[in-house]
Amino acid sequence: MTKMLLLRPEVSGGFGPNTIVRKPNPEHLEGTYQQVENLEYVFEGWLGDELITSHPVFIVTQSLAEALLNSNLSGFRLDDVFVYKSEQFDDFHPDIILPKFSRLVLLGRIKIENDECYHSWSETDMNQSLEGELVVSRKAYNVIQSHS
């Protein structure tokens, strides 16, 4: 069985006011999370990580996005995201210039139990758990880790 890894990326901010959040379908029983459209990400701080989250979405730097695209990994696509620094972040760190980011949309699905047992896996390299977490194959982890 392929080893899958549950990742918990840096949280550097949250949704901007123009982000559209759709509530889960009430007919879904377990593991439903919000559907996010038109993602706008406001940075409150940034430690320099190339993979960022604000539950249940993920964004990646242009450098990591290119590495992912060139890696032949399955289970994701990249979309546009509008990012900017909060007023407080800009006041305290005016010298930090954010790189270009892309939204990492996870197409694979997986169910995780106890942070390590999994089933109902779509057999892709990049997956979103029913709780909205990022779960990746060793191959995907190696690509991400090379950009940390």
Side-chain angles (χ1 to χ4, degrees), residues 25-36:
N25 184 338
E27 294 177 7
H28 293 169
L29 298 176
E30 66 174 323
T32 57
Y33 49 89
Q34 300 169 330
Q35 299 299 313
V36 178

Side-chain angles (χ1 to χ4, degrees), residues 7-25:
L7 302 185
R8 294 195 168 103
E10 174 188 348
V11 177
S12 296
F15 298 158
N18 293 317
T19 298
I20 298 170
V21 178
R22 304 247 186 255
K23 299 298 180 191
N25 184 338

Side-chain angles (χ1 to χ4, degrees), residues 3 40-41 43-44 55 58 62-63 66 72 100 134:
K3 174 125 173 104
E40 182 179 85
Y41 195 95
F43 279 81
E44 299 293 337
H55 189 76
F58 303 91
Q62 185 65 36
S63 174
E66 289 172 5
N72 295 320
K100 180 173 175 15
L134 174 59

Side-chain angles (χ1 to χ4, degrees), residues 6-142:
L6 174 62
L7 302 185
R8 294 195 168 103
E10 174 188 348
V11 177
S12 296
F15 298 158
N18 293 317
T19 298
I20 298 170
V21 178
R22 304 247 186 255
K23 299 298 180 191
N25 184 338
E27 294 177 7
H28 293 169
L29 298 176
E30 66 174 323
T32 57
Y33 49 89
Q34 300 169 330
Q35 299 299 313
V36 178
E37 301 171 11
N38 191 49
L39 178 60
E40 182 179 85
Y41 195 95
V42 182
F43 279 81
E44 299 293 337
W46 185 46
L47 299 175
D49 289 7
E50 294 199 42
L51 171 63
I52 308 293
T53 190
S54 183
H55 189 76
V57 300
F58 303 91
I59 64 173
V60 295
T61 62
Q62 185 65 36
S63 174
L64 180 52
E66 289 172 5
L68 291 170
L69 288 172
N70 292 325
S71 67
N72 295 320
L73 294 172
S74 60
F76 77 96
R77 76 170 190 266
L78 297 170
D79 283 349
D80 292 333
V81 60
F82 179 67
V83 299
Y84 59 94
K85 297 190 290 186
S86 70
E87 189 174 315
Q88 183 177 5
F89 182 28
D90 202 33
D91 287 346
F92 287 116
H93 304 285
D95 54 322
I96 293 180
I97 298 172
L98 296 173
K100 180 173 175 15
F101 281 85
S102 293
R103 180 176 177 187
L104 176 64
V105 178
L106 301 169
L107 305 174
R109 296 292 178 252
I110 193 168
K111 184 172 183 175
I112 300 289
E113 294 177 1
N114 303 324
D115 282 353
E116 57 185 63
C117 297
Y118 59 92
H119 54 89
S120 302
W121 174 41
S122 61
E123 299 193 25
T124 54
D125 292 300
M126 312 229 12
N127 306 274
Q128 192 155 27
S129 74
L130 296 177
E131 293 75 27
E133 299 168 305
L134 174 59
V135 183
V136 301
S137 67
R138 175 65 66 186
K139 181 179 172 185
Y141 174 78
N142 290 338

